[in-house]
Amino acid sequence: QVQLVESGGGVVQPGGSLRLSCAASGFTFRNYGMHWVRQAPGKGLEWVAFIRYDGNNKYYADSVKGRFTISRDNSKNTVSLQMSSLRVEDTAMYYCARDRIRLGYHFDYWGQGTLVTVSS
Amino acid sequence: DIQMTQSPSSLSASVGDRVTITCRASQSISSYLNWYQQKPGKAPKLLIYAASSLQSGVPSRFSGSGSGTDFTLTISNLQPEDFAIYYCQQSYSTPQVTFGPGTKVDIK
């Protein structure tokens, strides 16, 4: 069965860095684009970043552009999010999600999330 | 950027009720509209994609409709496990998708 397991969250000071990882299993990872989506405490969902199935195209939300970098390793079935220059407003649960293309685009599987807290 | 709005922001309903949630896009998005359900402490779950297609494994009491800018999610015969927050999402501008602010469905 499809599984996405995030890791790497934690507490970091403003201006610091953190690297999140998402380990995928149960499907042919190299065939799917992958997203990161975040949710601040008590708030709604915010799309963060996307990487194409082959890693050749990457897209970012304006709120993280220039600070976050998405990458993937298709040999290890992982997608990562390198976060730098972290701000208090980056505090959120971070989810990885699989991109499916069927009559359009949608996120058909999500991980359980990893919590990032930016605080001094 | 395409903005998404949802109404109502919250509603109270009883088991067995029929519930309708509305989602509106700031511009036409054809049928590139998805619905997700999120329960407390859990990841979102895909319910409906392409405005009206039911995701595999999702009960048939969930249905979606609409195109262009106006969409609805309907839950017929509301069940106890349906109390959750529901988000719409436009994928017209994929991969830079946007979500609606959510509609909380709780028990009357």
Side-chain angles (χ1 to χ4, degrees):
Chain A
Q1 72 282 19
V2 172
Q3 275 201 307
L4 299 171
V5 179
E6 301 94 337
S7 60
V11 180
V12 60
Q13 292 189 337
S17 299
L18 209 56
R19 184 178 181 88
L20 307 183
S21 291
C22 170
S25 60
F27 65 101
T28 306
F29 180 72
R30 64 180 180 271
N31 289 347
Y32 289 85
M34 296 294 296
H35 296 266
W36 285 95
V37 176
R38 68 183 181 183
Q39 186 170 38
K43 301 298 184 183
L45 300 168
E46 180 188 16
W47 173 79
V48 173
F50 169 78
I51 187 167
R52 211 173 72 161
Y53 65 96
D54 57 4
N56 284 345
N57 291 83
K58 306 172 184 180
Y59 300 83
Y60 300 93
D62 288 344
S63 57
V64 307
K65 200 173 295 183
R67 300 188 299 121
F68 289 12
T69 301
I70 190 171
S71 61
R72 66 187 295 155
D73 185 337
N74 285 347
S75 68
K76 295 182 179 178
N77 290 354
T78 59
V79 57
S80 298
L81 187 68
Q82 178 67 46
M83 305 185 295
S84 60
S85 302
L86 282 162
R87 305 167 179 166
V88 171
E89 55 265 34
D90 295 319
T91 295
M93 183 70 77
Y94 284 74
Y95 298 99
C96 65
R98 190 178 83 165
D99 185 73
R100 186 179 74 176
I101 304 172
R102 181 183 299 176
L103 299 177
Y105 304 83
H106 37 270
F107 303 175
D108 64 342
Y109 284 95
W110 298 62
Q112 84 290 349
T114 188
L115 182 62
V116 173
T117 303
V118 185
S119 174
S120 55
Chain B
D1 289 7
I2 300 174
Q3 308 300 320
M4 307 300 294
T5 59
Q6 289 182 233
S7 61
S9 57
S10 66
L11 64 91
S12 296
S14 301
V15 172
D17 283 354
R18 180 184 180 92
V19 167
T20 299
I21 299 169
T22 298
C23 176
R24 177 165 289 173
S26 60
Q27 67 180 73
S28 177
I29 57 171
S30 185
S31 295
Y32 293 100
L33 191 285
N34 309 308
W35 290 98
Y36 298 85
Q37 175 195 66
Q38 188 179 32
K39 297 181 180 179
K42 300 294 186 182
K45 171 187 172 184
L46 178 66
L47 296 178
I48 301 283
Y49 62 95
S52 61
S53 294
L54 192 67
Q55 170 68 351
S56 176
V58 174
S60 59
R61 62 180 179 272
F62 291 91
S63 63
S65 64
S67 66
T69 60
D70 295 322
F71 302 87
T72 59
L73 173 70
T74 299
I75 313 171
S76 60
N77 189 21
L78 194 70
Q79 294 299 297
E81 60 267 31
D82 300 336
F83 293 97
I85 299 175
Y86 294 84
Y87 294 95
C88 62
Q89 175 209 42
Q90 66 80 16
S91 60
Y92 181 83
S93 61
T94 198
Q96 290 119 324
V97 302
T98 47
F99 293 89
T103 295
K104 183 177 182 181
V105 177
D106 62 18
I107 302 172
K108 184 183 287 184

